[in-house]
Every structure is written in structure tokens, then in C-alpha cells.
Amino acid sequence: MAQIQRQNWVQEKMDLLKDEFVRDDVVDGWFLMSSFRPIFFIIVAYLLFILKLGPKIMEKRKPLRIKKLLIAYDLFQVFFNGWIVWLLFATPGGMVYTKKHMCKYLGRRDNPYFMPVLTGVWYFFMSKLADLLDTIFFVLRKKQSHITFLHVAHHVNMLVLSWAFLKYMKDEHAILAGVLNSFVHIWMYGYYFLAALGPSVQKYLWWKKHITQLQISHFVIILGYLGVLLWNGCEMLISLTIYIAATASGFLYFFLKFYFDTYYKRKEIQSGEEKNE
């Protein structure tokens, strides 16, 4: 009897998740949205290059001098992510609509903002694709130590998450997470842009620590936002809520660990060395 009840419960949840996965013919016709196969091959090629092929190619070569390319790339990312954030405010009635429908999920019927929201998310998806170049530039500059598990996992997961949202899990509750993520990237790539200019601006880069704090804060805000929605019994897609909550929780842990190891543990080690001198 108990086994039958468990099977019925599992089947009920599977049916619920299946009902949430809603495809749209228009979105499916967009670049890279017809199937997951292109994304899968992009991720495989990305991992193969940054972990095996790239380091092997650069093993006996000098780091590539791509300063101008890095400056152009970082500046592009600053403006591209800034434009994505601006879309929320520039879309006529976008802020009012978002506020009124904060407790509902996105629906196509009689919704003039269905396509504008998904169009904005597609640009966000493109920004996550562009983010992969970060790691490739590390390889070409022979900075393999920068390619950490956190760095790679974050890039891959954000690419998959944004694609899955567009393809199956169309929910307005992801708008805040996307806008916050793009806002963080404005400052992050702004820092990279200044750093790429060379030693002359190093004295102005004291705020690197605060970028990590901003990254941590945006994960906390996302989790708090989801918690408030759940507490108020809002209409939410279970699949997307679980995905975003799991992603935010996982990266919150890793970013906190990185922050502690970088700015506190290292400081304690340096203090101990100074005392022993």
C-alpha cells in the first residue's frame, strides 16, 4: 500500500513537471533554441579546449598578447549587460506589469509582455554564451590557475539555465535573478576593463573585494525573493524554482568559501608569517 502511494506521488509530481514544460513555436525558431544539441556540443568543445586541448597547444608557446582584444571584449560586456538591465526600465509599462504580476507565472494568452520578456531573456542567454570567452582568454594568456571549478561550473550552469528557461520554463520570477546577474556583470567586467588598461590604473582597483561581496549579495537576494514568493503562496513553476534555488544556494556556498579563503584565511596566514619574523 505504501509503495503504491509513493508511486502515485512520484507520478503526480512527474505529471506536474511535465505540464510546466511549455514550448513556444516562435521561441523554438530563434538562434540555438531549436534543440539542446548545439548547446551540448558548445559545452563539450568549451570544456575540451579549456581543460585539455588549449593548455596542450599553449604548453610550449608564449602567452598571447591580446590586450586590445580584452579591452574591447570587457567594454562590450559592460555595455551589453547594462543594456539588458536597461530593457526592464525602458520597456513601456514593464516595471508596472512586473510589480502587478509578481505573484504569477508568465503566460502567453492576452499577455503583451510575453514576447518582450522572452526576447530580453534570449539576449541574456547570448551574454552567457559570450561569457565563455573569459575562460578561453585565460588559456590563451596561460593563466590556467584562474580556471577553477567555481569559474567553469558557473559559466556552464548559467548557459544551461538560461537556455532551459527559454525553452521550457517560462516564468516571470526569473526576471529579478537575470537583471541582478547582469547588474553584477556590469561591475565585474568594468573591473576587468580597467585592469586590462595596465599598471597605470592599478591604484584605482581597490574595489575588487567588493565585487565578490556584490556577487554574494545577489545570491542572497534571489534566495530571499524566492522565499517571500513561496511564503505568500504565489503561483510558481516548481521546476524553475527548484533549479534557481539549488543554483543560487550552491554558488552562494562556493562564493562564500572563495571570499573567506581569499580575504580572511590568506590574511591570517600573512599575519602569522609576520609574527614569526
Side-chain angles (χ1 to χ4, degrees), residues 17-255:
L17 290 176
K18 186 177 180 181
D19 291 339
E20 290 186 350
F21 291 169
V22 179
R23 298 177 61 173
D24 184 86
D25 291 339
V26 175
V27 175
D28 287 355
W30 292 350
F31 180 61
L32 294 178
M33 292 308 304
S34 60
S35 75
F36 187 69
R37 187 176 300 173
I39 303 303
F40 173 78
F41 285 121
I42 288 173
I43 292 173
V44 170
Y46 166 73
L47 294 176
L48 182 63
F49 180 82
I50 66 172
L51 300 178
K52 294 292 183 181
L53 187 59
K56 188 67 176 177
I57 293 174
M58 297 301 299
E59 186 177 9
K60 296 181 180 180
R61 289 179 169 84
K62 293 182 179 180
L64 296 186
R65 297 181 178 180
I66 53 175
K67 179 179 178 179
K68 291 182 179 179
L69 177 60
L70 288 175
I71 291 174
Y73 170 75
D74 293 333
L75 199 58
F76 165 78
Q77 287 282 41
V78 169
F79 284 105
F80 190 34
N81 281 278
W83 179 70
I84 292 173
V85 173
W86 175 244
L87 279 177
L88 177 63
F89 302 95
T91 302
M95 288 297 294
V96 175
Y97 172 83
T98 302
K99 183 178 180 180
K100 287 184 177 179
H101 296 80
M102 190 176 293
C103 216
K104 296 181 179 180
Y105 58 83
L106 192 63
R108 187 183 182 94
R109 181 177 296 179
D110 299 326
N111 185 354
Y113 293 95
F114 182 81
M115 292 311 300
V117 168
L118 297 186
T119 301
V121 176
W122 184 82
Y123 285 115
F124 178 82
F125 166 57
M126 287 294 102
S127 75
K128 298 305 109 182
L129 187 62
D131 284 350
L132 300 184
L133 290 173
D134 261 352
T135 329
I136 294 173
F137 291 149
F138 283 147
V139 174
L140 298 179
R141 295 164 63 211
K142 299 189 75 169
K143 294 185 178 293
Q144 205 67 22
S145 61
H146 288 36
I147 304 176
T148 62
F149 170 80
L150 175 59
H151 175 92
V152 176
H154 182 65
H155 281 334
V156 171
N157 183 77
M158 290 305 297
L159 182 64
V160 173
L161 175 57
S162 55
W163 183 90
F165 172 89
L166 269 175
K167 186 72 174 182
Y168 299 114
M169 301 179 287
K170 302 169 179 66
D171 190 331
E172 291 172 4
H173 301 124
I175 295 176
L176 175 67
V179 170
L180 283 175
N181 185 265
S182 292
F183 178 74
V184 170
H185 277 68
I186 294 171
W187 292 98
M188 187 179 76
Y189 283 107
Y191 176 88
Y192 292 159
F193 166 72
L194 293 174
L197 294 177
S200 60
V201 298
Q202 290 299 315
K203 59 183 178 181
Y204 302 112
L205 300 179
W206 51 268
W207 43 283
K208 180 180 180 181
K209 175 180 179 180
H210 299 298
I211 294 178
T212 307
Q213 293 174 340
L214 187 61
Q215 290 171 316
I216 292 171
S217 298
H218 105 280
F219 289 125
V220 173
I221 292 172
I222 290 171
L223 288 171
Y225 174 65
L226 292 177
V228 170
L229 294 178
L230 289 170
W231 180 264
N232 287 284
C234 294
E235 299 175 14
M236 303 174 67
L237 297 183
I238 296 176
S239 52
L240 185 64
T241 303
I242 292 174
Y243 198 157
I244 293 179
T247 297
S249 299
F251 285 121
L252 176 61
Y253 167 78
F254 284 115
F255 272 94

